[in-house]
Amino acid sequence: MEIYNFPFRAMGSPCEFQLYTSDKNVAETACKKAHAEVTRLEKKYSRYRSDSVTSTINKSSGNLSGTKVDSETALLIDYAQAVYKQSEGLFDITSGVLRRAWNFKSNNLPTQSQIDETLELVGWQYVEWQRPHIVLKKKGMEIDFGGYVKEYAVDAAANTLRNHGINAGLVDLGGDLKVLGPHPDNKPWQIGIRHPRDPANAIATTTLGQGAIASSGDYERFMTIDGKRYAHILNPKTGWPIEGFSAVSVIASECLIAGSCSTVAMLKGEQQGKSWLDSLKLPYISVTKDMHVDGTTNLD
């Protein structure tokens, strides 16, 4: 059995499938199908495409008749609503409009009035969701699936590969991972945890034979002003970047769950985030501002 690598780019990130198979044709067919599934989801939920589901919903903001969505989108909205409640309003897919106030390439902070103006359009309480209709009650509101659709795509790609007979390998979409099964010698995969201040290198490693791992951190987009780092993860209640952990990685059976849990932990901050993670009883790795690594899984 040989390893087969299928690198590609999707959702703004470098991606790769690594599969073990004795039949190259099987691997190529499986990878093409899984890649097509990732591409389908990227097109369907991109906020940059005028023909996407996301854009269709957002164009209807202020129209109290709302928009009818398909069953897959309904599942994603159901999930977002459940995490919103579990996170006490911190995981809010209406918060993407805050990017109108925050431009992390400008190296300038927005004014409080700019943030306050944008916050008027943030809040799941302004969404009326009754399958299959969604209503964004305020004109100018938006929802954004970008906070969790990549993780959903990881699970979808893994399912596609399994449906084509692949039972050992790894799906990697921009660092969010799902393991299809261990190496042929039954050894688990070595997973590097990105160093928040040196993203090309790992600050720790762990192992995974099955399941998924997803990470959230303050290193993707940020600006530093007067020595203070302002990261792209924004608190939907205040409109300001979160402070607390530098990074959190969570291990779960599904990448969708791992990703949303790591994001919520970042939003809650160090003390509350750690307590919340402990209550979930999912393995995790956290990195504090002073680069202290802690966690409940095996670390090297």
Side-chain angles (χ1 to χ4, degrees):
M1 189 171 286
E2 297 183 359
I3 192 164
Y4 183 86
N5 297 314
F6 186 89
F8 60 101
R9 192 167 181 86
M11 300 185 175
S13 303
C15 306
E16 186 172 33
F17 302 142
Q18 297 183 57
L19 314 176
Y20 281 106
T21 177
S22 55
D23 189 330
K24 186 178 179 181
N25 291 330
V26 169
E28 287 183 347
T29 299
C31 286
K32 286 178 181 176
K33 293 289 186 182
H35 182 215
E37 178 68 353
V38 173
T39 301
R40 179 187 71 82
L41 292 169
E42 182 174 22
K43 290 180 178 178
K44 183 173 182 178
Y45 294 109
S46 170
R47 63 181 170 84
Y48 301 105
R49 293 177 62 100
S50 60
D51 59 346
S52 70
V53 167
T54 304
S55 294
T56 300
I57 294 171
N58 292 340
K59 286 174 190 171
S60 74
S61 67
N63 180 350
L64 298 184
S65 296
T67 304
K68 184 179 179 181
V69 301
D70 64 278
S71 58
E72 182 178 50
T73 304
L75 282 172
L76 285 171
I77 296 173
D78 282 346
Y79 185 79
Q81 182 172 254
V83 182
Y84 171 83
K85 292 177 179 175
Q86 192 173 23
S87 67
E88 299 177 318
L90 288 172
F91 186 93
D92 190 334
I93 62 172
T94 70
S95 65
V97 293
L98 287 168
R99 70 179 177 279
R100 297 175 188 169
W102 287 90
N103 180 355
F104 289 94
K105 294 180 180 177
S106 71
N107 216 35
N108 289 307
L109 292 176
T111 64
Q112 186 60 50
S113 62
Q114 287 175 313
I115 293 172
D116 290 342
E117 183 179 343
T118 311
L119 277 175
E120 290 290 323
L121 299 173
V122 176
W124 184 254
Q125 67 270 27
Y126 304 127
V127 176
E128 187 177 301
W129 169 233
Q130 188 166 9
R131 277 174 170 256
H133 292 93
I134 183 167
V135 177
L136 308 185
K137 295 180 182 177
K138 291 189 174 185
K139 183 70 176 175
M141 281 187 74
E142 293 182 4
I143 63 169
D144 189 350
F145 296 93
Y148 63 124
V149 78
K150 180 154 65 74
E151 293 87 344
Y152 175 74
V154 170
D155 294 327
N159 289 337
T160 301
L161 293 171
R162 282 206 175 99
N163 290 339
H164 285 78
I166 306 297
N167 294 306
L170 182 76
V171 172
D172 177 356
L173 300 189
D176 293 324
L177 311 174
K178 189 158 191 177
V179 172
L180 296 162
H183 295 285
D185 60 3
N186 213 34
K187 288 184 178 177
W189 293 77
Q190 295 282 327
I191 309 294
I193 305 300
R194 187 178 299 179
H195 194 302
R197 299 295 174 265
D198 185 12
N201 292 298
I203 195 169
T205 59
T206 187
T207 56
L208 202 60
Q210 287 282 354
I213 182 167
S215 303
S216 184
D218 65 2
Y219 45 79
E220 294 287 355
R221 282 176 287 128
F222 64 93
M223 55 186 173
T224 304
I225 297 176
D226 295 332
K228 183 173 181 178
R229 174 181 288 242
Y230 296 87
H232 74 289
I233 303 174
L234 302 171
N235 185 318
K237 297 181 180 180
T238 66
W240 283 85
I242 53 93
E243 296 184 30
F245 288 125
S246 282
V248 174
S249 300
V250 174
I251 296 172
S253 58
E254 302 298 323
C255 198
L256 177 61
I257 295 171
S260 50
C261 289
S262 62
T263 299
V264 171
M266 287 291 295
L267 286 163
K268 283 182 173 289
E270 271 191 42
Q271 190 171 1
Q272 289 186 28
K274 187 176 187 311
S275 298
W276 187 74
L277 287 168
D278 288 337
S279 72
L280 295 177
K281 302 192 183 308
L282 292 174
Y284 70 89
I285 301 141
S286 60
V287 184
T288 62
K289 289 290 184 190
D290 58 2
M291 299 299 110
H292 174 72
V293 180
D294 194 11
T296 59
T297 187
N298 55 317
L299 291 170
D300 294 322

